[in-house]
């Protein structure tokens, strides 16, 4: 299941809590900042755009956030996300019933106070997240609610590669019962060993792992701020049939990369498996992570004959 | 800690505020209350801190004898097969959140099912299959039995192997994925949503239409 000393909590044990941030923000631990953002109560419309290697994707969507539940409406598809569970449209409903908590300490980052700023006429506290001497993230957090009014994520050259901004904002939710949005049946995911997935990659640590339907192994990695899932599918699948992406060379190897408004997708084949990585990590982090993962490659001529005949 | 005068109404309104259940007008009243009344602020902080502590509490697995149903056993298989009525599914999902034994059993069952599904299909040899009933009086003459001839079979086998080998060389990525990007995305979002401050959106990747 997991290494000794890890704690697991169940979905029901995580009480849905909302903490409206009337206490003025201050530059403290990164976890405090993220918790405050998570606990905010707000609704409105949000714009998110990611730009990577000349490719950009943008989405504008409605969002409601309260009691740890986020409800978003993107192009008429309504999705409800609560801690450990997601219900997206009518097709996908997944819940995790166990996971590891108390992941890696975010000592990679420190938080600095950036003063005040106004956004949409609201007073916000500016928080900078530093990775060494590099400004990695800049947030404008609504002083009254704790909602993230503006988020900018930077690459290692100081360029913004992801920008998220509220374009309409209400300091309350319009849905009377947020928890009802997540009601219903779910596909249940339980923790499982995934020995073929690495424990660490590019400064990220694997918090836990799962094996889902079709035998797809999932490892969840985080560095305390950014995170990604690495899926390993047995066998060599045609990745062009999985997602629309472009072939890109990253760290000297060829991958298929798909840019989404809030995350990057990377797909590749190794000689025996197909890997899919999805996460919100910055491009320079992505390159470091990919360097520590199985490299793209194909089977040798004889190996392909052997596997073609005998599987 | 500062002394706080208990006030049920104030507690209710602050609790509703924390639960995000106030409308715009009520919200303004609470904000005004919190900006003017230090006792209300102290009570608000106390409730908030209590909830924070509750959230951080470790989970204790209840002993089986305390549960209404100890373990679901065979019902888990029916659950995986989608053969249970909705109310029982709800009950099992609830039970799974508290029972590690059933979670592990469910996981083992699921892995076994996946392994069984992955087994290659086998054609039943003709001599094992039951003979098909024949009409009592067939007007057709009895078919001649052909003896198996080794050479054509060997040649056909070699040819089949050659075709398979050629296909495997020409199309190294020929196996079709039965899993979709939407499946993987849902699993990623469900997991990342546990992390505080997550920002990943659903339905944001362009999947190839099957």
């Amino acid at each position: 299941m997991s290494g000794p000393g890890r704690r697991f909590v169940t979905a029901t044990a995580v009480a849905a809590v909302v903490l409206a941030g009337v206490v003025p923000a201050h530059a403290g631990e990164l976890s405090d900042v993220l918790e405050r953002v998570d606990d905010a109560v707000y609704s409105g419309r949000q714009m998110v755009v990611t730009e990577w290697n000349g490719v950009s994707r943008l989405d504008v969507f409605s969002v409601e956030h309260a009691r740890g539940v986020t409800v978003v409406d993107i192009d008429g598809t309504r999705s409800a996300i609560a801690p450990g569970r997601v219900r997206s449209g009518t097709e996908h409903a997944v819940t995790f019933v166990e996971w590891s908590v108390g992941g890696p300490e975010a000592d990679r980052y420190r938080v600095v106070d950036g003063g005040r700023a106004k956004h949409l006429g609201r007073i916000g506290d500016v928080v900078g997240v530093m990775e060494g001497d590099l400004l990695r993230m800049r947030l404008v957090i609504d002083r009254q609610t704790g909602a993230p009014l503006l988020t900018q994520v930077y690459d290692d050259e100081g360029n913004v590669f992801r920008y998220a901004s509220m374009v309409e904002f209400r300091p309350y939710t319009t849905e009377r019962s947020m928890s009802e949005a997540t009601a219903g049946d779910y596909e249940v995911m339980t923790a499982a060993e995934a020995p073929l997935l690495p424990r660490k990659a590019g400064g990220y640590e694997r918090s836990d792992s799962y094996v889902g339907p079709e035998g797809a192994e999932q490892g969840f990695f985080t560095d305390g701020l950014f995170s990604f899932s690495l899926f390993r599918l047995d066998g060599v699948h045609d990745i062009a049939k999985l997602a629309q992406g472009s072939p890109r060379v990253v760290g000297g190897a060829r991958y298929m990369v798909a840019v989404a408004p809030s995350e990057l997708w990377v797909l590749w084949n190794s000689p025996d498996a197909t890997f899919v990585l999805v996460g919100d990590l910055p491009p320079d982090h992505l390159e470091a992570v990919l360097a520590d993962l199985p490299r793209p490659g194909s089977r040798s001529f004889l190996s392909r004959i052997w596997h073609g005949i005998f599987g | 800690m500062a002394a706080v005068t208990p006030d049920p109404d104030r507690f209710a309104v602050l609790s509703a505020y924390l639960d995000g259940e106030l409308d715009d007008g009520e919200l303004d009243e609470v904000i005004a209350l919190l900006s003017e009344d230090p006792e209300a602020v102290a009570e608000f902080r106390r409730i908030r801190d209590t909830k924070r502590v509750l959230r951080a509490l470790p989970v204790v697995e209840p002993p089986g004898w305390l549960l209404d149903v100890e373990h679901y056993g065979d019902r888990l298989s029916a659950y995986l097969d989608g053969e249970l009525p909705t109310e029982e599914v709800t009950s099992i999902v609830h039970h799974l959140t508290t029972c590690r034994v059933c979670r592990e059993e469910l996981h083992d069952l699921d892995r076994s099912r996946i392994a069984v599904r992955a087994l290659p299909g086998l054609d039943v040899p003709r001599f094992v299959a039951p003979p098909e009933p024949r009409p009592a009086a067939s007007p057709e003459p009895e078919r001649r039995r052909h003896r198996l001839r080794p050479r054509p079979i060997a040649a056909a086998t070699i040819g089949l192997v050659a075709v398979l080998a050629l296909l495997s060389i020409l199309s190294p990525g020929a196996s079709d994925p039965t899993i979709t990007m939407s499946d993987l995305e849902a699993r990623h979002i469900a997991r990342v949503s546990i992390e505080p401050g997550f920002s990943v959106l659903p339905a944001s990747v362009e999947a190839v239409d099957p």
Side-chain angles (χ1 to χ4, degrees):
Chain A
M1 185 81 69
S2 69
R6 283 203 177 160
R7 291 190 305 150
F8 285 92
V9 296
T10 62
T12 52
V14 178
V17 180
V18 164
L19 303 173
V22 294
V23 183
H26 59 279
E29 294 293 322
L30 177 60
S31 57
D32 293 339
V33 173
L34 296 177
E35 198 170 301
R36 183 165 182 241
V37 166
D38 212 33
D39 291 341
V41 178
Y42 62 95
S43 61
R45 289 181 67 74
Q46 192 175 13
M47 176 186 76
V48 180
V49 61
T50 290
E51 197 275 339
W52 188 81
N53 273 9
V55 180
S56 61
R57 286 285 315 279
L58 178 146
D59 243 333
V60 180
F61 54 92
S62 301
V63 60
E64 305 255 350
H65 186 95
R67 292 207 307 178
V69 179
T70 306
V71 177
V72 295
D73 191 317
I74 302 176
D75 298 330
T77 301
R78 194 165 182 269
S79 302
I81 309 163
R85 62 182 56 187
V86 62
R87 173 174 296 283
S88 185
T90 55
E91 294 180 7
H92 298 284
V94 178
T95 184
F96 287 80
V97 293
E98 56 186 346
W99 55 77
S100 89
V101 294
E105 293 296 325
D107 53 4
R108 191 176 193 171
Y109 304 101
R110 65 189 164 86
V111 173
V112 294
D113 192 341
R116 273 182 168 196
K118 264 199 163 184
H119 188 75
L120 296 175
R122 299 185 66 83
I123 298 171
D125 296 303
V126 181
V127 176
V129 181
M130 305 294 295
E131 183 180 344
D133 294 333
L134 176 73
L135 176 61
R136 184 55 84 180
M137 185 184 281
R138 179 176 175 270
L139 296 130
V140 178
I141 298 174
D142 184 55
R143 175 159 289 190
Q144 181 193 345
T145 63
L149 297 172
L150 184 72
T151 306
Q152 292 167 306
V153 188
Y154 299 85
D155 63 19
D156 58 342
E157 294 177 351
N159 303 312
V160 174
F161 92 98
R162 180 168 299 121
Y163 178 90
S165 170
M166 296 298 295
V167 291
E168 292 173 22
F169 186 83
R170 294 181 291 270
Y172 54 87
T173 57
T174 56
E175 299 219 3
R176 297 300 294 185
S177 176
M178 295 286 286
S179 56
E180 279 181 17
T182 62
D185 297 335
Y186 285 85
E187 175 191 343
V188 177
M189 298 288 290
T190 55
E193 279 295 344
L196 297 175
L197 296 178
R199 291 270 175 201
K200 293 183 178 181
Y204 286 70
E205 284 183 32
R206 197 177 85 195
S207 298
D208 36 36
S209 55
Y210 308 88
V211 179
E214 317 293 342
E217 292 182 348
Q218 176 184 3
F220 182 77
F221 295 74
T222 179
D223 71 346
L225 178 60
F226 303 105
S227 58
F228 67 90
S229 285
L230 177 67
F231 296 95
R232 183 189 182 281
L233 316 179
D234 265 337
V236 180
H237 298 288
D238 187 350
I239 54 177
K241 290 183 179 176
L242 274 172
Q244 293 177 356
S246 309
R248 298 277 175 175
V249 175
V250 182
R254 200 171 180 80
Y255 300 87
M256 191 173 83
V257 178
V259 179
S262 62
E263 78 250 8
L264 291 173
W265 289 77
V266 184
L267 300 93
W268 73 99
N269 293 125
S270 75
D272 300 310
T274 301
F275 288 92
V276 179
L277 183 152
V278 53
D280 63 351
L281 63 180
D284 50 308
H285 283 196
L286 176 66
E287 190 170 334
V289 165
L290 291 177
D292 287 345
L293 297 179
R295 304 288 276 180
S298 55
R299 288 171 175 152
S300 66
F301 182 78
L302 288 175
S303 175
R304 277 157 59 183
I305 291 177
W306 177 266
H307 283 89
I309 297 169
F310 300 107
Chain B
M1 184 182 290
V4 176
T5 309
D7 181 343
D9 291 340
R10 190 169 65 197
F11 180 86
V13 77
L14 288 176
S15 179
Y17 176 54
L18 286 168
D19 290 339
E21 291 173 349
L22 300 181
D23 61 27
D24 208 5
E26 292 168 330
L27 186 74
D28 290 340
E29 287 178 20
V30 171
I31 290 170
L33 176 70
L34 289 172
S35 61
E36 293 166 1
D37 186 350
E39 275 198 2
V41 172
E43 185 165 10
F44 170 82
R45 286 181 172 156
R46 189 168 53 82
I47 298 168
R48 186 189 62 179
D49 291 345
T50 303
K51 290 191 173 186
R52 199 168 261 162
V53 168
L54 283 175
R55 186 159 63 166
L57 282 175
V59 174
V60 178
E61 292 283 347
W65 55 267
L66 277 180
L67 302 175
D68 294 338
V69 178
E70 281 199 3
H71 301 298
Y72 274 87
D74 295 342
R75 305 303 288 161
L76 291 175
S77 180
Y79 167 69
L80 281 174
D81 291 334
E83 293 171 348
L84 296 181
T86 305
E87 57 271 21
E88 193 168 355
V89 168
T90 308
S91 170
I92 283 189
V93 169
H94 177 72
H95 178 75
L96 285 169
T97 62
T98 58
C99 179
R100 181 177 294 272
V101 172
C102 281
R103 278 201 304 271
E104 287 173 357
E105 189 172 349
L106 181 75
H107 174 66
D108 290 343
L109 270 174
D110 203 27
R111 287 200 79 126
S112 305
R113 286 154 47 96
I114 290 166
V116 169
R117 280 183 195 150
L119 290 173
L122 288 174
D123 291 330
V124 180
R126 296 194 69 163
F127 64 85
V128 174
E132 292 179 8
R134 287 184 176 179
S138 171
E140 293 179 7
E142 189 178 347
R143 287 181 183 171
R144 288 173 57 194
R145 288 193 175 183
H146 295 279
R147 292 179 60 193
L148 293 176
R149 289 179 292 183
R151 279 186 185 173
I153 290 175
T157 306
I158 292 168
L160 182 63
V161 166
V163 168
L164 286 174
L166 189 63
L167 284 175
S168 71
I169 294 165
L170 293 177
S171 55
S175 62
D176 288 330
T178 51
I179 203 159
T180 67
M181 294 292 273
S182 302
D183 295 329
L184 301 184
E185 186 174 48
R187 287 177 210 172
H188 172 62
I189 293 171
R191 177 57 188 85
V192 79
S193 66
I194 298 162
E195 305 297 309
F198 77 96
S199 60
V200 175
L201 303 172
S204 56
V205 66
E206 287 184 26
V208 175
D209 292 332

